[in-house]
Amino acid sequence: MTRARAFTTVLVVWVISLGAIALAAMQAGAFRGGAAGRESMARVRAYWAARAGVEEAIARLARDAEDPDESDAMRLYSEFEDAAEGVLEGSSWTVGHSVRGQAGVLLGPQDAHSKLNINTMTQEALLKLPFMTDDVAGSILDWTDSDDDVRLPIGAEVGQYQSLAYPYEPRNAPMRDIQELELVSGVLPDYVRGEDGNLNDRLDSEEDDGDATWPTDNHNGKLDSGWAGVLTASSIDGDLGPGAKPRTVLRGTRASDLVAALGINESQARVISTHASAPSAKLSDFVRQDLNRIPSETGNQPIDARAPALTRDQLTKLLGQFVMEEPEIGAPGRLNLNTCPAEVLEYAPGISAAAADALISERQARATGFASLAQLLDVPGVSREQAARLIDLGEVRSNVFIVNSVGTDERTGVRVELTATIDRSTLPVLIREVYIR
Ligand SMILES: [Ca+2]
Ligand SMILES: [Ca+2]
Ligand SMILES: [Ca+2]
Ligand SMILES: [Ca+2]
């Protein structure tokens, strides 16, 4: 009896002990589940805040696309800045970006057109980049050109990539993403990223703490990014001109239609339409020289030596409302001369340092930026030839912006980062790509 009781007691204690262990395990599980639940709720709140930041930017871009202020090229950017911070219930967002070599994080989306499009770069232009060599520049051009012929003296085509342990093929078409550069033979990720280890165009804490964490950085409060700080693959050219109206293709437009569209006389219209029919003609040719000096295709004789020069107003209309030929869908974007940093101009082909300096100081003096390309002719220290070259590669408005929006749950500090590429090269505004971190 005693033994049985003792047994029972032991059994009960054992059962109770097991029960206690089970209960403790269940409580621990419930605690972990609760923490996970709280964490995921915090992530949901942070996500919606980040998303609100992206939507605010899209709303500003759509409004500007539908109702542009043609006298103020910078209005969109101040509206972006106004919408760059906000709060939802229990959470907040910040939209920001960093500019290579400048301090901290600036409010608002990154203008993709403030960088040079990699798909427009020549060998000569590529060679100005730090760490660039002839063979890497050749390999980049081989990566994007459509053929399989290895560039001389040295480049890389399909054979080079097929001989790797993990073979792949070059795109043989324009790059879609700046990260794609890292696949090109001879390119190291460090060249592309510099201190911007996560390639989000934003100075993050781990990118400004020296060697404490990857990536290595110089802890100077500035994002010393690599090639990706001056190059992009995201900018897109479009056919929308001032007032978001489609531009007219100049080549093939009848002289009589030009008279009405530009407010010019018949001899001016004839020079423009005759010159535009030449395959090598560029819109910038009408800036390079006055109409009475534009030669005919066959010789050095002017088309019409008595054609009056275009007035500023006529030239503004010509450059704003016309394109030489129909742009291809998704063609590489042009550089925005209102927003490109001085450093990006250093890598722009054919632009002298003096002209770049003059452009930047004139721009700083104009709160509304350059409202039209024709205003480049007013920049002291920029020759007509330099103005024409700026017009060949540049624009005064942008189509594509990259919105990096960080949502933060106020109570837990949990963050969600959304990076959305938004595009108004056609209307309505499109979201091309979204990354979530
Ligand atoms: Ca190729
Ligand atoms: Ca970063
Ligand atoms: Ca670091
Ligand atoms: Ca730095």
Side-chain angles (χ1 to χ4, degrees), residues 146-415:
S146 58
D147 62 54
D148 287 325
D149 307 327
V150 177
R151 208 163 276 262
L152 294 174
I154 190 160
E157 287 283 2
V158 63
Q160 171 82 23
Y161 300 101
Q162 287 291 311
S163 69
L164 299 173
Y166 298 97
Y168 52 94
E169 290 179 16
R171 185 175 293 286
N172 281 352
M175 285 189 194
R176 295 183 191 168
D177 195 306
I178 203 66
Q179 211 173 332
E180 203 175 311
L181 268 175
E182 296 176 3
L183 295 173
V184 174
S185 179
V187 175
L188 298 182
D190 274 359
Y191 300 166
V192 179
R193 297 174 190 233
E195 291 179 348
D196 192 11
N198 56 7
L199 266 187
N200 67 350
D201 264 313
R202 187 168 178 147
L203 183 64
D204 296 294
S205 55
E206 72 275 14
E207 293 161 357
D208 193 32
D209 64 359
D211 296 340
T213 60
W214 183 89
T216 304
D217 63 77
N218 60 7
H219 188 32
N220 68 348
K222 298 173 181 174
L223 186 65
D224 299 299
S225 47
W227 298 344
V230 294
L231 298 178
T232 183
S234 302
S235 62
I236 297 175
D237 200 11
D239 67 349
L240 297 180
K245 294 188 191 79
R247 285 192 261 215
T248 307
V249 177
L250 186 61
R251 188 165 289 150
T253 297
R254 286 181 312 191
S256 55
D257 292 336
L258 290 175
V259 169
L262 300 174
I264 54 180
N265 70 24
E266 280 170 22
S267 95
Q268 290 173 305
R270 197 170 67 81
V271 174
I272 294 172
S273 77
T274 306
H275 182 61
S277 66
S280 62
K282 296 176 186 168
L283 218 46
S284 60
D285 294 341
F286 302 110
V287 169
R288 278 193 177 84
Q289 51 203 335
D290 286 333
L291 293 183
N292 62 354
R293 304 190 60 138
I294 293 182
S296 65
E297 226 186 325
T298 48
N300 286 328
Q301 289 299 313
I303 297 168
D304 184 347
R306 284 171 305 168
L310 292 170
T311 63
R312 182 55 51 85
D313 186 45
Q314 291 163 345
L315 190 60
T316 302
K317 285 184 182 155
L318 179 60
L319 297 176
Q321 296 174 10
F322 287 86
V323 281
M324 190 51 85
E325 54 203 18
E326 195 79 55
E328 279 174 50
I329 292 171
R334 302 159 76 81
L335 186 66
N336 188 326
L337 300 170
N338 282 315
T339 60
C340 63
E343 198 201 351
V344 171
L345 280 172
E346 287 175 27
Y347 300 106
I351 306 303
S352 71
D357 287 349
L359 180 85
I360 297 288
S361 56
E362 175 73 14
R363 195 174 80 182
Q364 281 164 350
R366 291 173 180 240
T368 54
F370 296 107
S372 71
L373 286 172
Q375 288 180 354
L376 295 173
L377 287 164
D378 301 331
V379 182
V382 171
S383 65
R384 280 175 83 159
E385 175 58 31
Q386 284 289 317
R389 290 186 192 188
L390 286 165
I391 288 165
D392 282 338
L393 68 98
E395 246 303 350
V396 292
R397 75 196 279 285
S398 295
N399 289 327
V400 180
F401 294 85
I402 297 164
V403 188
N404 179 276
S405 180
V406 176
T408 307
D409 176 56
E410 298 289 289
R411 203 145 34 85
T412 59
V414 166
R415 289 157 49 107

